[in-house]
Amino acid sequence: MTIQLRYPKKVTQKEDSKKSVWKDLDNIMLDDWDDVASTCVSPGQEPAEILISDFNFNIPDDARVSEVVVEHDFHKESSQKPIEIEPPLITLMIGDEEFEMHSFINADIYPADRSVVIPLEDIEGKDVKGDNFKIKFDFPENLNNDAGLLFFDFVRIRLVFDIKRYILSSGETNTYFPTEEEPIQLAVGDEFRYSLYFRNVNGVSTERQEVKVNIPEGFEIVRYYFKASKINKLTDDDIDEELYEDEFDEETLIWHPSVRGKGSAAIRLVLKCVSEGTWTLSGYNENFGVTRNFYVEVHDKDFESPPNLFDETTNVWGSELGDNEEYQLMSQDVVIDVSHVSMEFKKPQEKVDNLKEYCIKWVKRELKPKNKFRALDDVSFSVNKGERVGIIGFNGAGKSTILKILSGVLKPTKGEIQTYGTVAPLLELGAGFDHNYSGRENVFLNGAILGYSREFLESKYDEILEFSELGDFIEIPIKNYSSGMVAKLGFSVATIVEPDVLILDEVLSVGDVKFQKKSGDKLKSMMGSGVTVLLVSHATDNIRELCTRAIWLDEGKVVMDGDVDYVCDAYIEAAKKASEEQLSGLELQ
């Protein structure tokens, strides 16, 4: 799922002598409560109808649009006898189709963001471009016997859509490739991003790998850049070896990936179409040979084709568009907001073995008061939609505590937590199981705890069973399961749906090696589809590989928050001064 946020570039009103006229309509194209549109509405009068258009959506023609969210605000003046107006009727017009929805709150005297979600089916990116896409606001009449002002603050649109992405990778399976029958459609002069991935799965490389990039004559390279590499799994014997940097030779078109240990690297080339024809693109790798070709069909310069069709993630796309005044930045919705959170636990100063001993000590007034232990101390951070954030820290830093608070397991002593959307916590897999019940019974029990209906679980049961690999063991009580089997079943139930936010606490080593790869691929698939991820791991290589951002906690406080490699490097440097107790069980690479 991808989201674009757009303000309109054109707002007009329908002329009607019986309706009140809006002033300063241009101001609703910006979110600014100091400069707003307004109209004076008499008793029994309606404000003029507003028509909003020209949003300049920058999405592929074949993108599938699933939702339009109309965010807006209106309010009345603060007076003794303010006007009384019901919510407006909002009409979304896409070509000849119209979708109607009422705003849900009457005009109040205070500004407040409102939003209306309009679900769509069978709408593509090409349908929402240009004059095909308009929004109409139609307010009802003023029910009060007095006249007064109605203010309209802003309108912005969130467009929710899915796009195809084309990725060339080494040693991995791709879900979709443009074929000769269904090529990428571009025009002469168009630019698009061409991404190649190199993943090293064979351990530490003693020699540099070569990837020969195939650029046909019909294209020229405008620029190229490298994705931050994920270098890990280096042994002590490799410390003195030279670390590779990404290099690309524009003359020979050979890319030397930076990866030496197990990890990945990527190069992105911005290509420009310079001549018509059907061209094939591919890359050659020393270990895996030629990747599968995909096809690009280039037409004359007047051919209408979608810009920026080829992309890896919306983050890269958004950052590039941010430098282009023709486009607006894509939205960065906050899905997790942690504000000044503290968590205190009461820790006993002495051990009391049984109730009798406790009662005797209580009567004799010999019980020592419990000490307060602060696991989190004024922690604040926010996570945007689609981010993959790793939380690192030495033992006792508060990593698991913050995840339990975000999951609703614990309530913070101070501060506030806001999460938006469906949250799936994978903390202790199988924690909600009844060990006297069979695996089948626990699917429905644990699924109910996670909020799934019985009907949904019945429809997904075969899929859960197949993924868990338990076979006939599903019918026996899980008290007879190994810990790995319990974890497999717990993982299969917890990931049966794709949540908005996925919270992981050391669950990357589920079951045997085969299932670890399977569960890892499942998590990466969820991450790649735009799910927001918070991950706690004792292994910094996992954090580097799966996350783009890291938050370092120490003694309950945020020490550093930023780029994953930068934060992990500083964390590893600090580990040189940490105690053995703090470092127990950690894997720092």
Side-chain angles (χ1 to χ4, degrees):
M1 181 179 69
T2 307
I3 295 176
Q4 272 193 27
L5 174 66
R6 289 288 186 270
Y7 289 88
K9 291 190 175 181
K10 187 176 181 181
V11 181
T12 59
Q13 59 183 312
K14 186 177 180 179
E15 292 186 11
D16 191 330
S17 59
K18 297 180 180 179
K19 294 188 177 184
S20 65
V21 178
W22 289 94
K23 297 180 180 180
D24 300 322
L25 273 182
D26 287 346
N27 290 333
I28 75 168
M29 293 187 284
L30 295 174
D31 190 352
D32 187 348
W33 286 339
D34 293 327
D35 297 309
V36 298
S38 65
T39 182
C40 185
V41 191
S42 301
Q45 190 181 32
E46 299 176 11
E49 178 185 289
I50 299 176
L51 189 63
I52 303 165
S53 60
D54 198 2
F55 289 91
N56 287 350
F57 294 118
N58 176 39
I59 69 174
D61 281 0
D62 61 351
R64 184 177 59 85
V65 183
S66 57
E67 282 183 4
V68 171
V69 183
V70 184
E71 300 182 349
H72 56 284
D73 175 53
F74 52 87
H75 64 283
K76 57 190 176 183
E77 66 176 332
S78 175
S79 64
Q80 290 184 345
K81 295 180 180 180
I83 59 175
E84 184 178 347
I85 289 186
E86 297 292 320
L89 176 66
I90 302 173
T91 304
L92 167 63
M93 294 176 284
I94 302 178
D96 297 330
E97 296 187 71
E98 293 190 354
F99 308 85
E100 294 183 342
M101 189 81 67
H102 277 92
S103 189
F104 63 95
I105 299 178
N106 297 356
D108 200 350
I109 62 173
Y110 302 106
D113 287 7
R114 298 163 170 83
S115 62
V116 168
V117 179
I118 302 175
L120 300 174
E121 292 184 2
D122 301 324
I123 298 295
E124 295 185 336
K126 62 184 179 182
D127 301 324
V128 301
K129 294 183 177 180
D131 292 334
N132 283 336
F133 186 94
K134 298 175 183 176
I135 302 287
K136 182 173 68 176
F137 277 82
D138 193 359
F139 281 91
E141 67 181 42
N142 173 19
L143 300 176
N144 204 330
N145 292 326
D146 294 285
L149 287 173
L150 177 66
F151 299 100
F152 205 122
D153 295 354
F154 67 87
V155 174
R156 57 179 175 244
I157 299 297
R158 292 186 187 277
L159 198 68
V160 182
F161 60 97
D162 294 311
I163 62 175
K164 292 178 180 177
R165 295 191 179 97
Y166 316 99
I167 299 174
L168 287 180
S169 60
S170 232
E172 293 186 352
T173 301
N174 294 272
T175 57
Y176 176 83
F177 261 79
T179 63
E180 192 169 8
E181 293 75 24
E182 295 185 39
I184 297 174
Q185 299 286 323
L186 296 168
V188 173
D190 279 351
E191 294 180 3
F192 73 105
R193 274 177 293 284
Y194 171 49
S195 301
L196 289 95
Y197 283 73
F198 175 83
R199 179 176 294 277
N200 181 17
V201 295
N202 294 330
V204 176
S205 304
T206 56
E207 296 182 1
R208 303 202 69 173
Q209 297 297 306
E210 288 190 356
V211 177
K212 177 68 186 316
V213 182
N214 170 31
I215 306 295
E217 292 182 1
F219 298 95
E220 64 181 29
I221 299 176
V222 178
R223 62 185 180 276
Y224 67 88
Y225 52 100
F226 303 108
K227 180 183 177 182
S229 59
K230 310 294 182 181
I231 304 174
N232 51 58
K233 295 294 184 187
L234 299 180
T235 66
D236 292 339
D237 297 334
D238 301 309
I239 297 300
D240 295 331
E241 296 291 334
E242 179 184 359
L243 293 178
Y244 301 146
E245 298 290 338
D246 280 291
E247 293 179 357
F248 179 66
D249 189 326
E250 290 190 67
E251 292 185 4
T252 62
L253 300 180
I254 291 178
W255 166 42
H256 293 285
S258 57
V259 173
R260 184 161 61 91
K262 290 184 178 179
S264 63
I267 184 173
R268 299 186 184 92
L269 301 102
V270 179
L271 304 181
K272 184 176 181 179
C273 304
V274 294
S275 63
E276 298 179 35
T278 300
W279 313 105
T280 61
L281 295 171
S282 65
Y284 173 80
N285 174 260
E286 207 172 72
N287 279 342
F288 296 99
V290 179
T291 60
R292 295 167 55 191
N293 294 339
F294 73 85
Y295 293 81
V296 181
E297 186 173 343
V298 183
H299 301 264
D300 63 78
K301 63 180 181 179
D302 296 324
F303 177 78
E304 294 184 1
S305 58
N308 301 319
L309 182 62
F310 192 92
D311 198 345
E312 182 227 352
T313 67
T314 57
N315 288 336
V316 174
W317 189 14
S319 66
E320 290 203 0
L321 291 179
D323 297 329
N324 190 332
E325 294 181 357
E326 292 296 319
Y327 302 108
Q328 298 182 42
L329 281 174
M330 287 195 288
S331 63
Q332 292 291 316
D333 288 342
V334 174
V335 293
I336 296 174
D337 190 14
V338 178
S339 179
H340 301 289
V341 166
S342 295
M343 186 71 202
E344 289 185 349
F345 295 100
K346 291 182 177 179
K347 190 163 118 179
Q349 296 187 55
E350 58 183 337
K351 182 180 178 182
V352 180
D353 294 325
N354 51 58
L355 179 61
K356 178 180 177 181
E357 183 180 351
Y358 177 86
C359 293
I360 292 172
K361 286 182 175 287
W362 183 81
V363 170
K364 292 183 176 181
R365 301 181 182 274
E366 293 178 352
L367 282 175
K368 295 181 181 179
K370 295 181 179 179
N371 289 330
K372 289 183 178 180
F373 168 70
R374 180 164 288 192
L376 296 174
D377 187 4
D378 195 31
V379 171
S380 296
F381 62 86
S382 62
V383 179
N384 292 326
K385 183 176 181 63
E387 277 196 290
R388 302 194 300 274
V389 182
I391 300 181
I392 58 178
F394 306 134
N395 294 324
K399 305 186 297 295
S400 295
T401 302
I402 191 65
L403 292 197
K404 288 178 180 178
I405 291 175
L406 290 169
S407 304
V409 177
L410 297 176
K411 184 177 180 180
T413 309
K414 292 181 182 178
E416 293 183 354
I417 295 277
Q418 293 287 340
T419 58
Y420 304 92
T422 307
V423 178
L426 275 68
L427 304 181
E428 297 177 22
L429 294 176
F433 287 164
D434 187 320
H435 284 236
N436 292 312
Y437 289 175
S438 68
R440 176 190 293 273
E441 292 167 325
N442 271 290
V443 166
F444 294 95
L445 173 63
N446 194 238
I449 293 173
L450 293 172
Y452 306 154
S453 67
R454 183 172 184 86
E455 292 76 15
F456 173 80
L457 291 167
E458 286 175 346
S459 69
K460 295 289 186 178
Y461 178 78
D462 290 341
E463 188 178 335
I464 294 171
L465 177 59
E466 180 181 359
F467 194 89
S468 69
E469 303 177 350
L470 291 177
D472 294 339
F473 286 99
I474 197 72
E475 302 295 346
I476 67 173
I478 66 169
K479 63 184 178 183
N480 299 311
Y481 285 13
S482 66
S483 59
M485 294 168 70
V486 172
K488 283 183 179 181
L489 185 59
F491 184 92
S492 303
V493 175
T495 58
I496 197 61
V497 296
E498 187 172 287
D500 297 304
V501 180
L502 184 63
I503 297 178
L504 309 170
D505 188 1
E506 291 295 346
V507 295
L508 299 177
S509 55
V510 175
D512 52 39
V513 174
K514 178 183 175 183
F515 194 83
Q516 285 178 26
K517 183 181 185 307
K518 185 177 178 180
S519 59
D521 290 342
K522 173 74 171 179
L523 293 176
K524 290 174 184 176
S525 173
M526 294 171 75
M527 293 175 185
S529 64
V531 173
T532 305
V533 177
L534 256 74
L535 166 66
V536 162
S537 177
H538 287 153
T540 53
D541 59 342
N542 286 335
I543 299 290
R544 290 182 191 268
E545 181 177 1
L546 299 175
C547 301
T548 56
R549 170 186 166 196
I551 297 174
W552 174 11
L553 292 178
D554 189 45
E555 296 183 352
K557 295 183 179 181
V558 175
V559 177
M560 191 177 293
D561 180 353
D563 174 75
V564 62
D565 288 321
Y566 179 74
V567 175
C568 284
D569 289 345
Y571 170 63
I572 292 172
E573 185 65 26
K576 297 176 181 178
K577 301 178 182 179
S579 66
E580 291 185 7
E581 183 180 355
Q582 288 178 310
L583 298 177
S584 176
L586 302 184
E587 297 178 24
L588 306 177
Q589 297 186 37

